[in-house]
Amino acid sequence: MDNGETGITDVLGAKPAAGNARRSARDPAAPLAEDKDATGPDRTPWLKVSVLWGNLTGVPADVHMTGHYAGVAPTSAEKALDEAISGGGRHIVAERNRRGWIDARLGRITYFPTPSPPPRPAPDGAEGSAEGCAIHAAAVIGMGRMGGFTEQRAVRLYESLLGEVLGAGHMRKVATVLIGSKPGSLKLRQAARALVRGFDAALDSMGAPPGAGAAPPEVVLVEVDRLRAEKIQQALTDFAEKVPRIEVAEHLVVTPARGGTVMRTSAAAFALLELVALTRPDATEEGAAALRTVLGGIEDERLRTGVRAGLTSLAVKGISPAGLSVYTLRMKESESRPPPVNISVLRSDKGLRWAALADRAAIPEREVRVDQDLFLQLVNRLTEPSVDDAEDLPGLLSCLAVPSEFQWLLAQDAPVNLEVDRDTAIVPWEFLSAVQQETESSTPLATRIPISRNLRTEHSSVNITEEHTVGPLRALVIGDPGSSARSAALGGAREEARQVGSTLAAHGLKVRLMVGPPGTKERVKGEEAATRLGVLQALLTQRYHIVHYCGHGTFSPSEASGWIFDDGVLTGQELEQLSRPPRLVVANACYSARVEPPSAKQVLKLADEFLRAGVVHYVGAAWQLRDAQSLVFADAFYEHLFSENTSVGEAVCAARLRTYNKRGRTEDPHSWSAWAAYQHYGDPTDHFLRGTATTA
């Protein structure tokens, strides 16, 4: 059974599921056999496969394709492809993923527009210019929901991928990656075996090899890390050995201009190989001297002898890069954060259903059984909590609601992106704690790493008109539009609005500042009155990249909720016609991030409408705030938002930390837990930089 590597679990995994891509008559789980019609010394391969060490977006091809999990923000190769086809800060794949436009069912392919039709790829073997490597077509192929990608599903994915290429006819060269082989999914050799089987099944449907004189189609698997590239090359060679119609290039393609890198583990592996070579009998005197110098740095004689013996043993076995794995610990002083951990937490009949995709572990779905009434009690006590509850209950939230296998993910120095539905959005997940590492002196998790959300909802519209503008970024800043007749005037909100307006203007944004209701006497030059009609006119008829609101907010499960103005409340109903959503909305007001579960009476909240309209980032508060904490948060957020190499999620995290540190010794619960009230909906790794002005 395929050299003994196919087991009963592989066969069981071949059971078809609803929504899966079509399967050919050949069973992908069956062992690979030689194709009698393609044997012979003069046979022509039906498909060429090569492995290239480099960057996916730097390889010339007719189409560039990566895998895509349902609802998961682009990372790794998918993110690189997204950046290559997007302009400035506007990310096409990420935005369409957020809006639910990508069909992520297994084997379904979604194409994306490229900025302009580039010239054709450079000929094989030619270096090509930067223009020659431009992307003609970009696509992602659905992998289903994260946590359920098996080897047999990978077979069907690859069958669909090649079937699309063969059916299109004009796509002769495809650049992709070994989809499903990253940590968190399949092992590398499992993915390679699935690729060969899937491609073989797709070639079955061709019925005949390419016509005389016709070049077979080519699939280029691109891997940015050298050691992984070597392993992929070896794995494909092994599994394609008995499939003559699939020709795997004999050697790894190494082209300096294609952007390959050497990770720490790769560097260690190749260094070890060189040391092994120096222990062979045929090593030069210079090499032997170099080895003595290296080993001389090991002071312990017993250890030094053991290292030499180990290297000699490896030399006798004749190891190669493809057969070597080296593991290193992540350095805490790393200048950049690791890729985000994408976690889905949705309500189930028995409790909470979790799934996760991380770059460090394969974690299937898990269900946490929890009494709904008991869990709701905990959620209510952590929503606008007392000082005691804010200190005592976060650990219980993590232990009660988070699967034990998932808790260690929260202990990593990585952003956390939570996919929530309307039932789980009401949970103050910002109170999550790293159970395995928490100490009494540590700051809360959400002040150390970015924690953001994505709302999964059928309410989101797909009819969103995107507008491309040229010129400076534009911001609408609204401060304290309510009146003393409704409540006391918010001097802090007016100060915040002016300070935010000044900060944004200093970063090159064109700011429209609306402060105080009509009749306000202390209006500064350049300000205008903040009226409900005026703000609505600005939002519906003009395009603002940033909208910042600071003032009173109101929330009710069954009544109109939103931003308070002198003449009423601006609610979600007024924003139903919003077709040109801002890129970033910061609602620094009480209850501005509250989203009601389906069981509540459906009165759409302002946050719902902004999310429905398609804002890229929404930052709001889940409960009441004090002026002092709101000002601290806003000041820190915008200070970091425009800092070099700082993402929106990191800006929110930094603002939470400063708000947490400024809480003082107060017994006021609103001041004590204000840092946790702030919720961020959006990709925590996305950047909002000045360069987005021409494309937002």
Side-chain angles (χ1 to χ4, degrees):
M1 297 180 67
D2 195 16
N3 297 325
E5 295 191 23
T6 302
I8 187 65
T9 55
D10 293 316
V11 178
L12 294 176
K15 181 180 179 180
N20 284 350
R22 110 186 130 71
R23 297 184 60 196
S24 68
R26 177 189 291 259
D27 184 355
L32 299 172
E34 292 189 7
D35 191 322
K36 297 180 180 179
D37 297 331
T39 58
D42 298 325
R43 70 174 180 86
T44 300
W46 295 22
L47 174 70
K48 290 186 175 182
V49 177
S50 60
V51 182
L52 184 146
W53 174 41
N55 190 309
L56 175 65
T57 60
V59 178
D62 295 313
V63 61
H64 290 68
M65 191 179 301
T66 67
H68 176 80
Y69 280 111
V72 176
T75 60
S76 303
E78 187 182 8
K79 185 174 183 179
L81 183 63
D82 191 10
E83 292 174 348
I85 64 175
S86 304
R90 175 176 171 270
H91 293 89
I92 297 173
V93 180
E95 288 187 11
R96 280 157 178 73
N97 170 66
R98 177 172 47 80
R99 295 172 183 175
W101 290 358
I102 300 177
D103 188 349
R105 287 176 293 177
L106 185 67
R108 300 299 179 91
I109 297 176
T110 303
Y111 289 91
F112 299 92
T114 52
S116 61
R120 303 301 296 172
D124 289 344
E127 291 292 332
S129 62
E131 292 76 17
C133 296
I135 296 176
H136 294 267
V140 297
I141 184 167
M143 301 173 69
R145 297 199 63 77
M146 61 184 180
F149 193 67
T150 65
E151 181 175 344
Q152 299 309 314
R153 291 176 68 83
V155 171
R156 296 193 284 275
L157 177 144
Y158 281 113
E159 182 182 356
S160 294
L161 188 157
L162 186 58
E164 177 80 0
V165 173
L166 298 175
H170 66 280
M171 294 187 294
R172 307 305 299 169
K173 186 174 183 179
V174 181
T176 184
V177 294
L178 188 60
I179 298 171
S181 67
K182 289 293 185 181
S185 191
L186 304 177
K187 295 180 179 179
L188 185 147
R189 289 185 66 83
Q190 284 182 302
R193 181 170 56 189
L195 179 145
V196 173
R197 285 182 170 152
F199 283 0
D200 191 37
L203 292 174
D204 257 355
S205 64
M206 285 180 61
E218 180 181 0
V219 175
V220 181
L221 292 172
V222 186
E223 170 56 47
V224 70
D225 178 53
R226 180 59 183 268
L227 185 59
R228 273 182 54 86
E230 298 273 5
K231 290 177 178 290
I232 293 171
Q233 171 72 30
Q234 185 61 57
L236 291 178
T237 300
D238 292 344
F239 292 122
E241 183 179 4
K242 294 184 178 181
V243 188
R245 57 188 172 189
I246 298 178
E247 179 183 278
V248 176
E250 184 177 357
H251 300 291
L252 177 70
V253 180
V254 179
T255 308
R258 301 303 182 210
T261 61
V262 179
M263 306 297 185
R264 283 199 305 267
T265 52
S266 294
F270 285 105
L272 180 58
L273 287 172
E274 289 300 313
L275 289 175
V276 169
L278 297 179
T279 64
R280 296 193 181 102
D282 59 350
T284 64
E285 179 56 36
E286 291 80 0
L291 179 62
R292 287 194 296 270
T293 300
V294 171
L295 296 180
I298 302 176
E299 296 182 359
D300 188 304
E301 182 178 356
R302 185 178 177 184
L303 177 60
R304 183 167 60 249
T305 301
V307 170
R308 177 183 283 277
L311 293 174
T312 303
S313 175
L314 291 174
V316 171
K317 294 179 180 179
I319 62 171
S320 66
L324 189 64
S325 294
V326 176
Y327 301 94
T328 63
L329 296 176
R330 183 177 298 281
M331 305 300 290
K332 292 184 178 181
E333 62 271 18
S334 175
E335 295 182 358
S336 60
R337 292 188 185 275
V341 175
N342 294 289
I343 300 179
S344 172
V345 52
L346 309 175
R347 182 181 178 181
S348 67
D349 294 337
K350 299 178 181 179
L352 300 172
R353 177 160 291 279
W354 294 76
L357 176 67
D359 268 2
R360 288 177 295 282
I363 303 176
E365 292 187 347
R366 290 288 186 271
E367 186 171 49
V368 176
R369 299 188 179 188
V370 58
D371 182 273
Q372 293 292 342
D373 292 336
L374 181 65
F375 186 61
L376 188 58
Q377 289 182 40
L378 176 61
V379 170
N380 289 336
R381 287 183 61 177
L382 280 174
T383 302
E384 210 160 2
S386 66
V387 173
D388 289 340
D389 283 350
E391 290 185 322
D392 298 338
L393 295 182
L396 177 59
L397 174 66
S398 300
C399 293
L400 180 66
V402 183
S404 57
E405 297 96 328
F406 283 54
Q407 289 176 3
W408 73 272
L409 291 173
L410 302 178
Q412 310 300 308
D413 183 26
V416 175
N417 191 19
L418 290 170
E419 178 196 7
V420 296
D421 58 18
R422 289 189 171 278
D423 285 295
T424 55
I426 66 172
V427 181
W429 298 112
E430 289 68 25
F431 271 123
L432 283 173
S433 61
V435 176
Q436 298 186 13
Q437 289 190 357
E438 205 70 61
T439 63
E440 293 184 0
S441 61
S442 64
T443 60
L445 185 67
T447 66
R448 304 199 304 270
I449 64 172
I451 295 181
S452 67
R453 302 159 168 240
N454 279 287
L455 182 64
R456 186 183 181 198
T457 172
E458 295 180 356
H459 175 58
S460 181
S461 171
V462 298
N463 298 317
I464 300 172
T465 302
E466 297 187 35
E467 179 179 320
H468 302 271
T469 60
V470 178
L473 294 173
R474 303 175 72 236
L476 175 64
V477 181
I478 310 152
D480 187 30
S483 71
S484 57
R486 209 174 264 282
S487 60
L490 297 175
R494 299 187 185 191
E495 179 186 353
E496 177 184 331
R498 290 163 182 152
Q499 185 168 317
V500 168
S502 177
T503 299
L504 295 179
H507 285 92
L509 282 82
K510 185 177 181 180
V511 180
R512 183 177 181 183
L513 192 57
M514 307 176 80
V515 178
T520 299
K521 297 180 180 180
E522 304 86 7
R523 185 161 289 119
V524 178
K525 183 180 179 181
E527 295 177 355
E528 55 183 293
T531 66
R532 195 163 50 135
L533 186 62
V535 169
L536 191 60
Q537 181 271 339
L539 291 174
L540 296 186
T541 66
Q542 302 176 49
R543 174 65 189 273
Y544 290 94
H545 304 86
I546 295 179
V547 171
H548 183 99
Y549 175 87
C550 43
H552 284 295
T554 180
F555 176 83
S556 170
S558 59
E559 299 177 3
S561 302
W563 299 344
I564 296 178
F565 285 75
D566 185 44
D567 61 339
V569 179
L570 182 66
T571 70
Q573 176 179 319
E574 283 78 52
L575 292 184
E576 287 184 350
Q577 299 302 315
L578 180 62
S579 60
R580 291 177 289 184
R583 180 173 176 78
L584 166 67
V585 174
V586 179
N588 210 355
C590 307
Y591 309 114
S592 55
R594 291 289 291 272
V595 176
E596 276 300 289
S599 56
K601 182 179 178 180
Q602 287 301 287
V603 178
L604 295 179
K605 308 303 182 285
L606 208 61
D608 288 285
E609 281 304 321
F610 276 121
L611 293 172
R612 176 206 64 80
V615 296
V616 179
H617 297 280
Y618 183 91
V619 180
W623 53 78
Q624 289 188 50
L625 300 171
R626 297 290 187 244
D627 281 3
Q629 278 69 39
S630 298
L631 186 59
V632 168
F633 182 90
D635 181 60
F637 175 72
Y638 287 110
E639 173 188 324
H640 289 84
L641 182 68
F642 295 100
S643 298
E644 186 177 2
N645 297 326
T646 299
S647 68
V648 178
E650 289 170 333
V652 173
C653 180
R656 287 191 187 121
L657 177 60
R658 188 175 298 180
T659 307
Y660 174 84
N661 289 334
K662 292 287 186 179
R663 70 194 189 286
R665 296 182 177 276
T666 178
E667 292 299 319
D668 179 2
H670 300 113
S671 299
W672 188 260
S673 60
W675 63 271
Y678 286 100
Q679 298 177 357
H680 170 217
Y681 285 86
D683 180 358
T685 65
D686 185 39
H687 289 68
F688 191 100
L689 301 175
R690 297 176 64 179
T692 61
T694 58
T695 58

